[in-house]
Amino acid sequence: MDNEIQKVLIIGGGPTEIGHETELDAACVQVIQAFKKQGIRSLLIDNNPFSVALEDVQPTNIFIQAVTANNVQRIIEREQPDAILASVGGVTAISVVQELQENGVLADNDVKTLGIPADALMDINNPDRLNDVMRHVGVPVIASETVGTLDEAINVATKIGYPVIVKPIAPRIDTNRMLCENEQDMISAISRGFSWSRFKQCVIEQSIVGYKEIELVSMRDAMGTQVLIAGLENIDPIGIHSGDSMVVTPTLTLSNEEYETLRDTAFAINNQFQFTGVVHTHFALGSSENSYYVTKVTPYNDRGTSLVACATGYPIAYVAANLYLNQKLTDVHLPEIYHFKQTALLEPSLDHVVVRIPLWPFEDVKNADQHLSTVMKSVGSTIGVGRSTEEAILKALRSSQFSPQDELPSMNDLTDSQLISQLIHPLSSRILVLIEALRRGYQIDELTELTKIDPFYFVKLRHILEIEDHIKAHPMGVDALHEGRYYGFGDGMIARIWHTDIDTVRKLGQDNHISPTYKGIEPSAGELLNSPTAYYSTFELENESQQISAKTVLVLGRGGNQLGPNASADYFTTEMLKQLRKSGYQTVIMNTNPNAGSLTATLSDKQIIDPVQLGDIMNVIAIEHPVKIFVPGNRHYLTRELRHRNYVISILPPDQEKRSELLNDHANIGLDLFVTEGHIVPILASDLRSDRGIATTLDQITLMRTPATLTDQQLTAIIAHAKDYLGAHKRTGMVQMLYTTNGQQAPQFAGVRPTRLTTIAYLNKVTGINWVRMLVRQALGEIDEDLIAKLAVDIRSDRRSQVRGTFPFKQLQLPDQLGLTTQEVGARISFETL
Amino acid sequence: MAQRFLILEDGSIYPGHSFGAGATTTGEIVFNTSMLGYQEIVTNQIYHNQIIVFSQPIIGSIGIAHDSYESILPTAKGMVVRDITDISKNRQRSLSLDQFLKQHNIPGISGIDTRHLIRQIKQTGTIKGSIVDVADDHAFDQLHATVLTNQQVAQVATPRPYPNPNQGYNVVVIDFGLKHGILRQLSKRDCNVTVLPWDASAQDIINLDPDGVLLSTGPGSPLDLPESVLDMIRTIEERIPLFAIGLGHELFALANGSEITKLKLSHHGANHPIRKIITNEIIYAMESEEYVVDPDSVDRDRLITTYLDLIDGSIQGLRHRDYPAFSVQFFPDGAPGPDDSVDLFDEFVEIMGTRE
Amino acid sequence: MAKVVVDAMAMQRALTRITYEIIEHNKGIDGLVILGIKTRGVYLAQRIASRLKQLENATVPVGELDVTQYRDDIEHDAQDVDPTVTVSKIDFPVTDKKVILVDDVLYTGRTIRAAMSAIMDLGRPKQINLAVLVDRGHRELPIRADFVGKNIPSSQQERIKVSVSEIDGQDSVEIIER
């Protein structure tokens, strides 16, 4: 242990955006836990209102500010931390620390970097320096050369061999890499490239498009001890960003030799850079022997490390936190909850398969180019866990659909030429198109040629179609039901194939003892017998998941991240779990988002990673017999169906009987209130604005600002109106009253709606009262009316604050446009400085 | 795929689907938690007389590769898997696992709850089982009546010497059921190898004037081999640098006064951290052991413990105090598994270099 | 032109092997003391001692000898020069001990002879053995190493450069042509 480190400044990830969602905050929470255990004081800078980590740090150690080098520098100068940690703040944090390293702020204030040595910080994002390191450790480097004339370019390209990539050096415009299949392509690309380059120079690089993309996640301590946590295999080849690629773990189509070569390489690089903590290494793997390249080294938490943590049950961020403090891997003890005491050194061995399918925002941002390419466009992902590839693919696919009814959309209206075009230039419907092609009789060799996807996956997809045919051919067949469920078909899917309802399907299963068997997600593949806390279902012999208590609450997670209120749903779910536990309930969470902080093992008593679909939920209910089911945010179909079956559902924030009562589609003042049986508590009045100023419709309101521009008189008037109105209309929970004002005139009532999840997170930060927990206690019937009467909410506070939605337009390469609530990818919060 | 059954001595029946050969076989049930290298595993002769359960559920996904055999004529008694992919065309590979097993008359059974099976045998300990067409009384009678041979080494090792010529040091490999990884590693280091049968005498070896002797891996119990093997080791270790692996390691320990105990359940996997004591480094390697050296029995005046498994505490390596003779329980050649310890072969070569 | 002839892994192995050979040769570590010749010999001596400690769970004393006169900082054991070796840090008796003298490169043998004189001035060891990482030949005295990491036949025009991670940032042996 490094005793010189007492105080660490942690750089948060900032607002959610394309590239990172809740995984950074989830990792941050684990780091803070581990630091606390080691007696380290954590300071945290972040301006993400949906950060759970911000709830876990003492208020005096929180800096709600944008993650910029200037802000971080000011904190360093004032607080004089011993060290700075960029490993849970993604690319933003890394570049901030790079900047502070370059301008000498870290050295001047004697601040160490944790995890990534200062020198390495400078190298990891610099292709030239990275290549030097690769050569030093004996790793093949992608052939590339800088050229300044057409003749040079032709010579170099011929030497390297087509296809090649042309990249202008120091381009004046934001350009993509240009892929050239032949000399003719190259000649035209190079002339464009020269004209874009400030130096009239281009780099010509060997193309690795079509290579397999493999990722390894490893841990290293300061002694140089390393452990490989897992490998990830991108089903889609290089050419599609790994964040937009279907990913499977463990790797399924690598030989032992290939895998060990990559392992040795990753370890050698980690040693060379002297990383500590977690490292995510990306590789491109060619089809001939020894043709592999390192494409990226990310020595920090990201979506890859969170996927691996979720798939293996190995608490990566927690262990890494200990390693940042120079603890040895041999000495790191995992939290009790993980049930295996064999140190952090057991290399996870999996007996299940996990498939991740990305979620794209194209439903909400219709004018975006939907082609998948080297630029990431997805905003979230869902995973499926199974004992077969088919099962994992189907579960992930079922969870990735926007329809709540557990059905897959049909692709049969594509014309053949559309189909071919989409095979070559994939869209977000990628996997459905692959299945459709197989359905139409495309041969595996052909498809492999067109898509560069390993034939193994086509064999599996074709098998899924065979099972589907089998189910079709045997309506209400017991064998067909068993086979379908065994390979991951949902009850809803089977019901639809048989043109019946889900209850009929479930009854057939019950009568024939086709019951789900839950299997533990743990890193020893059954070798160590202790039971873990995370499970997934399959249909085999042994069920390992038993009812945990007679006082269990089942919480239905939101699944994969999407635009809109989802950005804050995981924060909401996490706070919900904390309160339920505090109120004395055992908690079971179902979720499929590998980045979700709410799936952290220490937050709930059991985690079920299965589609949050009706059949799967009822399977969990049949084992756990929860006293209540909590649903963060409403999901009408599911809650209706569950209520219909007499389950006790609490939707939070409460779904008002009449959800919204809107007199018009415009408002500029909002008044949020907490309403109990006996009291109406005004919380905050705020200005409601669009991203550009005045919001002409409600769905343009993506910015809230306090104090509201109201006179004292106006404020008194709307509070009185709200109390009258809510007293007369029976509503409980949290509501937002909407008003329009115009100068000094009396505000006009515009309507009432349930407080948005996003808003609740803001209210928590502004008032210092955790309203999520209040809502949970209300739903549990634990609200003490006397206490509510005494609740001091300073609605007349003149502390200035603002929350503002952020949008994915830039990453989607769209011109800036007016963002709608349904298009929010995240939000940023600020105090005082507006 | 036809339905078949895996039946165990304790009366359990696991229904599944047939792949590979349709033969009815009986063997000890062992499980392997390695995530890669099913081909290397099933062709390893240490699995003679054994039915291998794979914890990795997806098996067969890359077919069979010409350069991944650990023996030419595999003698495992069966493969038990959750999911088999009959794929024969991944890159240059042309043979599927199913076809390969058929060629070698090895049955496979898929669709098994392997996680349950592993958790079960973790509790019962080593158990016999059969892969059969019908799980009736007759099948169980046959299973109970089958006595597995303890002459595995004699059955799998080469009956006659053969050379693997090269330009470097002269190495004699004693074949107890050799895995090819060992020969590959020696070849890479230019060793001029002569493979001798397991019952070669010290004189047979000395006659070849080797620079070093390697005792190979192999199946079964070291206690089932005759005392003459131990005599050979005692004579050789005094004169010629000696490297012993797997079964060879167990024999080396026995020859130097240690005792061997049979594990309640054999351990096969590549994910346990192993401490290399001399430098305190942590390495990973494929461990595959049914028998281990009893730590209390190690004569510290003769042997130094060099490697320890941090999960189960088992001794993974020994070295003689007085002679350049050393051994490891794990497989330093990988195939499959990490090659963190592959430089033990370099160490062997360097020792031969200094003793010239 | 520098050519790496021993990389980090090979150096680790060489020290490991030397350690085992010391145990083999001395039938254990009773009465053993290790003396490293400055600068790099000291680090090598410490590494050998730490390995012995790992294996035998007992501490072997390590002392330091200083070469005060040398022609350049890479090869103190150079031709035609008789270096003076002084005892810089040996806080234990050597009389009746088995001394392992450790140096990085064995060349003419003159440093070793001087080192042995220095040791003899301190007391009367039971025996002195010599361990070197590299033996490059060209001896001018009848001196032979008992434990050799690697024999590197070299010409006198070449220089042998030993780097140790403690002070050089890496472990390696390189041949440098003059």
Side-chain angles (χ1 to χ4, degrees), chain B residues 275-281 300 304-306 319-325 343 346-347 350-351 354-355, chain C residues 9-10 12-17 19-21 23-25 27-28 50-52 54-56 148-149:
Chain B
R275 187 192 296 282
K276 180 178 181 182
I277 292 172
I278 192 164
T279 53
N280 223 359
E281 289 165 275
R300 292 190 53 84
I304 303 172
T305 302
T306 54
R319 196 180 204 280
H320 205 287
R321 274 189 177 279
D322 302 330
Y323 313 115
D343 73 335
D346 296 306
E347 203 171 316
E350 284 157 7
I351 287 175
T354 59
R355 310 277 165 159
Chain C
M9 292 278 280
Q12 295 292 325
R13 278 200 305 276
L15 291 170
T16 291
R17 183 167 44 73
T19 306
Y20 283 125
E21 285 172 1
I23 295 174
E24 235 176 81
H25 188 266
K27 311 277 174 213
S50 110
R51 282 169 161 73
L52 288 169
Q54 281 293 126
L55 292 174
E56 303 284 23
V148 178

Side-chain angles (χ1 to χ4, degrees), chain C residues 5 11 26-27 29 52 68 78 87 105 116 125-126 136-137 141 163-164 166:
Chain C
V5 281
M11 192 190 288
N26 293 287
K27 311 277 174 213
I29 59 168
L52 288 169
T68 55
V87 171
V105 181
M116 284 193 289
K126 193 168 168 186
R136 61 169 296 189
L141 297 170
S163 302
V164 294
E166 289 90 336

Side-chain angles (χ1 to χ4, degrees), chain C residues 8 10-11 22 29 32 41 54-55 59 79 84 86 88 90 93 95 138 165:
Chain C
M11 192 190 288
I22 289 172
I29 59 168
L32 217 59
Q54 281 293 126
L55 292 174
T59 305
Q79 284 174 291
T84 308
T86 54
S88 63
I90 298 179
T95 300
H138 307 289
S165 55

Side-chain angles (χ1 to χ4, degrees), chain B residues 108-119:
Chain B
I109 186 165
S110 69
I112 301 291
D113 187 344
T114 46
R115 181 171 166 90
H116 172 48
L117 178 58
I118 287 168
R119 285 161 58 87

Side-chain angles (χ1 to χ4, degrees), chain A residues 572-591:
Chain A
F572 198 89
T573 310
T574 301
E575 293 305 314
M576 191 181 245
L577 287 170
K578 288 181 185 169
Q579 181 59 43
L580 286 166
R581 177 174 278 179
K582 208 172 170 190
S583 296
Y585 291 87
Q586 304 267 322
T587 50
V588 175
I589 171 123
M590 284 184 82
N591 207 351

Side-chain angles (χ1 to χ4, degrees), chain A residues 133-373:
Chain A
V133 172
M134 295 307 141
R135 283 189 200 97
H136 186 83
V137 295
V139 176
V141 166
I142 296 171
S144 73
E145 240 173 273
T146 304
V147 296
T149 67
L150 179 60
D151 282 353
E152 272 175 32
I154 291 171
N155 284 338
V156 168
T158 312
K159 195 170 69 188
I160 290 174
Y162 290 98
V164 296
I165 303 274
V166 173
K167 290 190 291 189
I169 290 182
R172 289 197 198 86
I173 58 164
D174 192 14
T175 63
N176 265 334
R177 314 145 64 91
M178 294 174 279
L179 178 67
C180 310
E181 299 284 352
N182 50 46
E183 193 171 306
Q184 207 176 345
D185 286 358
M186 217 273 306
I187 292 172
S188 93
I190 203 85
S191 67
R192 267 177 294 159
F194 286 151
S195 70
W196 289 334
S197 166
R198 280 194 280 132
F199 308 127
K200 297 221 174 311
Q201 284 184 330
C202 288
V203 169
I204 298 197
E205 190 179 276
Q206 175 194 347
S207 165
I208 51 167
V209 167
Y211 275 45
K212 254 183 210 182
E213 187 162 16
I214 305 293
E215 307 165 41
L216 297 187
V217 172
S218 56
M219 312 282 288
R220 181 180 183 278
D221 70 14
M223 305 287 294
T225 300
Q226 308 207 42
V227 52
L228 184 67
I229 308 300
L232 300 170
E233 175 172 346
N234 289 239
I235 296 176
D236 295 303
I238 298 250
I240 294 180
H241 191 285
S242 71
D244 279 352
S245 195
M246 292 175 283
V247 171
V248 57
T249 182
T251 61
L252 296 179
T253 68
L254 260 59
S255 72
N256 173 67
E257 211 179 332
E258 288 168 328
Y259 193 75
E260 298 308 335
T261 302
L262 301 188
R263 177 181 187 274
D264 292 348
T265 304
F267 281 8
I269 293 168
N270 296 352
N271 273 335
Q272 184 63 29
F273 282 123
Q274 305 258 304
F275 294 137
T276 55
V278 60
V279 188
H280 178 188
T281 319
H282 299 242
F283 297 92
L285 185 64
S287 53
S288 55
E289 220 166 291
N290 253 329
S291 67
Y292 72 98
Y293 303 102
V294 175
T295 52
K296 198 169 159 193
V297 179
T298 52
Y300 45 86
N301 291 276
D302 63 8
R303 95 184 71 80
T305 65
S306 70
L307 173 60
V308 164
C310 197
T312 59
Y314 185 102
I316 291 178
Y318 182 89
V319 173
N322 285 284
L323 305 184
Y324 300 142
L325 303 175
N326 288 337
Q327 209 178 353
K328 296 182 203 167
L329 267 166
T330 41
D331 296 338
V332 175
H333 293 287
L334 302 180
E336 196 69 12
I337 191 94
Y338 289 96
H339 289 296
F340 44 89
K341 299 191 174 70
Q342 265 83 4
T343 81
L345 275 168
L346 183 74
E347 282 204 349
S349 182
L350 302 188
D351 56 7
H352 52 264
V353 183
V354 178
V355 169
R356 180 182 76 190
I357 295 183
L359 296 178
W360 290 272
F362 305 133
E363 295 258 305
D364 295 313
V365 188
K366 297 217 185 313
N367 55 344
D369 174 9
Q370 305 197 2
H371 285 99
L372 306 185
S373 66

